[in-house]
């Protein structure tokens, strides 16, 4: 094999890796069950499923130290979460630069960029609040979403089918 061919192979390998979701974990037990197509799916202890858009940057954490993931810090792009009902007084949270979304059990998606976080609920209920000082919050139900931006108020809206379909397609759904 020539040096040129090896170089091309290395470049293609790293381009492929750069498209995969980038997750860091802190002592949580999750296994990759699918890494093909536009997203990567993880199954975690406790029946939690996390599907991350390729290229998403996120960190999984076990804040209560029970060996199960209970929070995600999402830095960019989208994730879809399925969390079975957790005991009263406990929450599963997703934190982005603009918002914190928390549930006791549901299926929902979070999409973030440097300027905006969007949260959409497939089923169940999700509480969403700003990270800023005003800490404005809303509760979302099935089919509802909210866009969290710096200065605009939080407005719960029923998302149109094309917007839902576009987000879910990015997540391999």
């Amino acid at each position: 094999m020539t040096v040129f061919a090896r170089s091309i192979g290395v470049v293609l390998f790293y381009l492929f890796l750069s498209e995969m979701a980038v997750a860091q974990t802190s002592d949580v037990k999750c296994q990759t069950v699918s890494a093909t197509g536009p997203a990567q799916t993880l199954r975690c202890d406790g029946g939690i499923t996390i599907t991350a858009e390729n290229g998403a940057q996120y960190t999984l954490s076990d804040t209560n130290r029970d060996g199960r993931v209970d929070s995600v810090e999402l830095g960019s792009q989208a994730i879809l979460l399925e969390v079975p009902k957790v005991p009263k007084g406990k929450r599963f949270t997703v934190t982005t630069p603009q918002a914190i979304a928390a549930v006791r059990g549901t299926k929902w998606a979070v999409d973030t960029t440097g300027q905006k976080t969007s949260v959409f609920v497939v089923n169940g209920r999700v509480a969403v609040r700003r990270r800023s000082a005003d800490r404005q919050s809303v509760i979302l139900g099935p089919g509802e979403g909210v866009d969290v931006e710096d200065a605009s108020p939080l407005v719960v809206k029923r998302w149109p089918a094309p917007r839902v379909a576009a987000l879910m397609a990015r997540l391999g759904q």
Side-chain angles (χ1 to χ4, degrees):
M1 185 183 256
T2 70
V3 172
F4 178 73
R6 266 189 235 140
S7 298
I8 295 293
V10 169
V11 168
L12 290 174
F13 176 74
Y14 282 105
L15 284 174
F16 173 76
L17 283 180
S18 70
E19 288 298 311
M20 298 299 291
V22 179
Q24 298 174 351
T25 60
S26 59
D27 300 324
V28 294
K29 297 178 180 90
C30 298
Q31 295 181 343
T32 301
V33 293
S34 172
T36 60
Q40 172 185 6
T41 300
L42 303 172
R43 291 218 197 281
C44 305
D45 284 357
I48 297 164
T49 303
I50 301 168
T51 301
E53 178 181 17
N54 285 341
Q57 295 182 355
Y58 61 98
T59 303
L60 307 177
S61 297
D62 172 15
T63 59
N64 65 5
R65 301 174 202 243
D66 68 355
R68 296 180 179 172
V69 62
D70 57 19
S71 71
V72 178
E73 179 82 28
L74 178 62
S76 68
Q77 298 192 313
I79 58 174
L80 176 68
L81 302 108
E82 292 182 69
V83 178
K85 193 164 187 155
V86 297
K88 190 170 184 158
K90 296 188 180 213
R91 296 266 187 240
F92 189 103
T93 61
V94 176
T95 305
T96 72
Q98 296 84 18
I100 299 172
V103 300
R104 288 190 49 218
T106 192
K107 182 176 181 179
W108 83 105
V110 181
D111 183 18
T112 192
T113 66
Q115 308 303 315
K116 176 173 80 170
T117 293
S118 300
V119 179
F120 174 75
V121 177
V122 176
N123 60 50
R125 295 207 161 300
V126 177
V128 180
R129 73 173 173 85
R130 293 183 185 283
R131 288 188 66 172
S132 65
D134 76 7
R135 299 172 90 92
Q136 181 186 4
S137 65
V138 294
I139 304 290
L140 305 175
E144 296 178 332
V146 67
D147 295 315
V148 182
E149 298 178 271
D150 291 335
S152 60
L154 300 183
V155 178
V156 176
K157 295 180 181 177
R158 180 151 303 280
W159 279 18
R163 183 173 183 188
V164 174
L167 177 59
M168 292 302 161
R170 289 172 43 205
L171 294 161
Q173 303 292 303

